[in-house]
Amino acid sequence: QVHVVESGGGLVQAGGSLRLSCAASGSIFSINAMGWYRQAPGKQRELVAVVTTRGSTNYADSVKGRFTISRDNAKNTVYLQMNSLKPEDTAVYLCNIKVGTALELTYWGQGTQVTVSS
């Protein structure tokens, strides 16, 4: 079993910054990708950013240029640096880890609340 622990959420004023971290531990044989999703009231869950073991990244258009995803493969940790935060970024941010070889399994963090004041 893989365990995912997130940290770094909180309350910040518009224009401020936060750095989220997510560490995976347990029976990890191969990490295919690590990413961040978010869920806001009245909206569907959306992909914010994802990074593969090779280092390829993808970002949602709404955060491109403001957020940066990175990972430390040795520590099985992924980070999300969030700059120029806007009130519309307010959401529960969830860490997603995809593990496996031929069979890929998905694990989720507990979620961390990010609130950006007007």
Side-chain angles (χ1 to χ4, degrees), residues 4-101:
V4 182
V5 179
E6 301 168 323
S7 63
L11 175 64
V12 65
Q13 63 182 5
S17 299
L18 284 174
R19 184 177 178 85
L20 306 182
S21 64
C22 172
S25 63
S27 301
I28 302 175
F29 297 96
S30 178
I31 297 180
N32 301 323
M34 307 180 81
W36 292 92
Y37 291 74
R38 66 185 181 187
Q39 296 179 106
K43 295 184 178 180
Q44 293 184 324
R45 183 182 63 187
E46 66 171 340
L47 174 67
V48 177
V50 62
V51 60
T52 68
T53 303
R54 297 291 186 180
S56 299
T57 60
N58 279 311
Y59 297 91
D61 289 339
S62 60
V63 307
K64 207 166 189 176
R66 300 187 297 120
F67 292 8
T68 302
I69 189 170
S70 62
R71 66 182 294 177
D72 185 333
N73 291 334
K75 296 181 179 180
N76 293 326
T77 301
V78 63
Y79 306 92
L80 185 67
Q81 179 66 47
M82 304 184 293
N83 299 324
S84 301
L85 283 162
K86 307 174 181 179
E88 47 263 49
D89 293 319
T90 296
V92 174
Y93 284 72
L94 300 160
C95 180
N96 173 269
I97 311 294
K98 295 189 179 298
V99 181
T101 54

